[in-house]
Amino acid sequence: MYRIRARYEKKGRVKYLGHLEIIKVFERAFRRSGVPLKYTEGFNPHPKMSFALPSSVGFSSTGEYMDVEVTEIVEMHKFIIAMNETLPEGLRIIAGGYVEPKAKSLMSKVDYSEFQIDFSIQKELVGRLEKLLSLESILAIKQTKSGKIVENNLKDDIHGFEIIKGEGNAITLKVLLSAGSRGNLNPIFLLKGLGEKLGEEINSNEANVLRIDIFASTDDGPLSFEKTISEVAMQ
């Protein structure tokens, strides 16, 4: 048994597919591509594959990852070409390689997601936004799944940011946020929290959110998942 780790992008209309729909799309693509998949045993076998971190509906991404098990070695460039010929427009594998078959699951290693968020805000608020993000504490009210109201310090889950001014009121916020089971900050919740502190509602429905990459925590800092594979990149 061999395990392939692939990085893929999600753009265009497919960004509106939910995670379960994305899984089904990949299952169909694997079958059509002829990749020798490893299947689970039992009455209803399905391909042995796993994903790093589900992407929210409406978010584009250039940094999604999945592991899939195969029964024999497949040349990586042939694997990538075969998959990209069968995937729908907007889904595309951009790099891949083999990892240890018994390597820890992708999901268990997720610590950070890097996002690019494009939105509009009044020009005179940009300086205040930068100062706000530089504070040690940004408290925001959040309702949990159980309905409980709690106060969160957003800065606990913000690990770096950059503000790029665009034309007019457009700005781009690049930000590294906590992600995964050990802590998670959704970019939309971040925008709402920042808007409340600025006294200016930020229209999150009009914001374009792009996940750039996913990272694991190491002693040397965040490590892109792509660094954990023997890379074969498709230009």
Side-chain angles (χ1 to χ4, degrees), residues 151-189:
E151 190 174 55
N152 279 2
N153 183 0
L154 299 180
K155 279 305 295 281
D156 289 342
D157 295 310
I158 301 173
H159 305 282
F161 74 91
E162 177 185 7
I163 295 174
I164 303 168
K165 297 178 183 176
E167 293 185 2
N169 292 331
I171 69 166
T172 295
L173 173 62
K174 287 187 176 180
V175 63
L176 184 67
L177 303 178
S178 297
S181 59
R182 288 174 286 275
N184 192 74
L185 178 55
N186 186 298
I188 297 301
F189 182 70

Side-chain angles (χ1 to χ4, degrees), residues 103-147:
K104 288 185 177 180
S105 71
L106 282 168
M107 189 171 289
S108 69
K109 300 177 70 174
V110 173
D111 289 302
Y112 311 105
S113 282
E114 183 181 19
F115 291 95
Q116 175 180 306
I117 311 170
D118 297 312
F119 60 101
S120 297
I121 194 171
Q122 294 182 33
K123 275 185 179 179
E124 54 269 28
L125 293 178
V126 175
R128 287 177 55 197
L129 175 63
E130 190 161 10
K131 288 180 180 177
L132 177 61
L133 284 165
S134 300
L135 296 176
E136 293 184 358
S137 175
I138 306 174
L139 299 179
I141 301 298
K142 180 179 181 180
Q143 185 173 16
T144 66
K145 291 181 179 179
S146 63

Side-chain angles (χ1 to χ4, degrees), residues 49-64:
M49 59 183 187
S50 59
F51 293 77
L53 187 66
S55 176
S56 297
V57 174
F59 289 7
S60 301
S61 178
T62 58
E64 301 297 299

Side-chain angles (χ1 to χ4, degrees), residues 93-105:
I93 293 179
I94 53 179
Y98 286 90
V99 296
E100 286 294 321
K102 294 184 178 179
K104 288 185 177 180
S105 71

Side-chain angles (χ1 to χ4, degrees), residues 191-226:
L191 285 186
K192 290 180 178 177
L194 294 175
E196 289 174 3
K197 292 299 179 184
L198 292 172
E200 175 78 10
E201 182 180 359
I202 298 176
N203 190 341
S204 57
N205 291 327
E206 295 183 355
N208 289 317
V209 182
L210 169 71
R211 178 147 68 191
I212 299 171
D213 205 352
I214 296 174
F215 300 83
S217 177
T218 73
D219 291 340
D220 296 322
L223 177 70
S224 167
F225 276 22
E226 192 166 316

